[in-house]
Amino acid sequence: MRSISVTMSVTLDGVVQGLGRPDEDTRGGFAHGGWGTRYQDDVMAREMAQGMSRPGDMLFGRRTWEDFTTAWSRREDGNPFTTHLNAATKYVASTTLDDAEAWQNSALLRGDAEKTVAELKARPGNDLSVIGSASLVHTLHAAGLVDHYTLLIHPLTLGEGRRLFEGPAPLTEFTLTGCVTTTRGVLITRYDRR
């Protein structure tokens, strides 16, 4: 059985919305987009590169897949993240997409994410990693399908926005397996489900 690992940037008050750009995710009138960019440093880049260096497939929600398709699929800059993202098999869970042809090596998981991802996880193959995709992560966490979290906990609060753990979910315990502090005060924490 494959494992599912989630990597997510989060504020101290649990917000995950709009990390990278002001226009990334303005749902609900969210006006704090781009909050994470000022916290990037060499330590964070090194830690994220280690995660990307492991073989595996990727899992996206529709919204994040479309955003990443625009940002990464046409880049040819020698960036190791670009190389990894374009080479990896990318599964996109969606009830609205007709196909996943816009980005090479992408495959559509059409239908209910809880069911389609559970079926994918049960099949032999590479482990799965999720970057972003908060709505998908909510669904997978509530279904007990997430095995590992890497949380980049940023030292700020926003007071509004979509949060990582919202809505009903089962009691789930995790073990802290690692923690690195960046030069900008971000805690990169790793947790395994018990």
Side-chain angles (χ1 to χ4, degrees), residues 14-28:
V15 175
V16 294
Q17 185 173 358
L19 165 77
R21 301 183 319 273
D23 66 342
E24 182 177 332
D25 184 354
T26 58
R27 288 177 290 175

Side-chain angles (χ1 to χ4, degrees), residues 1-121:
M1 177 180 285
R2 304 175 186 218
S3 70
I4 296 179
S5 299
V6 171
T7 299
M8 187 80 67
S9 289
V10 60
T11 65
L12 289 175
D13 57 345
V15 175
V16 294
Q17 185 173 358
L19 165 77
R21 301 183 319 273
D23 66 342
E24 182 177 332
D25 184 354
T26 58
R27 288 177 290 175
F30 185 71
H32 301 295
W35 55 265
T37 57
R38 65 183 170 269
Y39 294 98
Q40 295 174 356
D41 69 358
D42 290 341
V43 176
M44 184 183 292
R46 182 186 71 235
E47 292 295 315
M48 294 302 95
Q50 284 179 354
M52 291 276 194
S53 69
R54 292 185 207 102
D57 297 338
M58 301 191 74
L59 182 58
F60 290 94
R62 177 201 51 86
R63 203 178 156 80
T64 302
W65 180 82
E66 288 177 336
D67 189 58
F68 273 48
T69 298
T70 301
W72 294 96
S73 69
R74 294 169 190 85
R75 290 176 70 167
E76 296 179 10
D77 55 9
N79 179 322
F81 296 110
T82 303
T83 302
H84 176 81
L85 289 167
N86 285 323
T89 299
K90 294 165 284 292
Y91 295 96
V92 55
S94 176
T95 58
T96 59
L97 277 179
D98 292 325
D99 63 63
E101 296 174 8
W103 192 3
Q104 67 189 19
N105 304 321
S106 293
L108 179 60
L109 300 176
R110 183 171 290 139
D112 176 73
E114 180 179 337
K115 181 179 181 223
T116 60
V117 173
E119 290 170 355
L120 177 65
K121 183 177 180 178

